[in-house]
Amino acid sequence: MIHIEIIAGSPRKPSLNWRVAKHLHDQMQQQKDIQTGLIALNEITIPFIEHVWKCPDEAPEALRPIAKRMFAAQGFIVCTPEYNGGYSPAMKNLFDHFPKQNKKPFGVVTSSDGKMGGMRAAQQM
């Protein structure tokens, strides 16, 4: 079984991006060979980067459950809104806290109410 974390990258409530990530999560949970989790950045507060957490125990205690999930994930689906022509700063802040996620596959999903539909965020990702 493969373990994939879906990350809803908007800190806003409510969020179109969260709805897209939730739908994707619900659909993937129906697959028997995939274990999925949903990390919603509108439900947690990640401090600004001070140092990289090289293992879950280095994360602040309140964030260790998220850190354990990030290290345990075998792949990620990154759902980001388009913020001022780019991807979510909250998403960048989350990934900046962890070492490079080498040899883990990433999928990119974008969402936007604008006419570009998240295309510029996808280009940056």
Side-chain angles (χ1 to χ4, degrees), residues 35-62:
Q35 175 188 355
T36 58
L38 178 59
I39 297 173
L41 295 182
N42 64 3
E43 295 177 354
I44 58 173
T45 301
I46 305 284
F48 291 114
I49 183 74
E50 293 177 9
H51 67 278
V52 174
W53 302 325
K54 295 180 181 163
C55 68
D57 293 337
E58 289 184 8
E61 189 160 340

Side-chain angles (χ1 to χ4, degrees), residues 71-120:
F71 280 100
Q74 294 170 295
F76 298 94
I77 297 177
V78 180
C79 297
T80 185
E82 187 170 302
Y83 274 65
N84 298 321
Y87 62 92
S88 162
M91 180 80 68
K92 180 173 183 351
N93 186 46
L94 172 71
F95 278 103
D96 281 349
H97 280 84
F98 299 95
K100 300 285 184 217
Q101 300 291 314
N102 293 330
K103 300 180 183 173
K104 292 185 180 182
F106 277 76
V108 177
V109 177
T110 62
S111 60
S112 173
D113 291 352
K115 62 184 173 181
M116 300 295 280
M119 181 174 61
R120 295 176 295 183

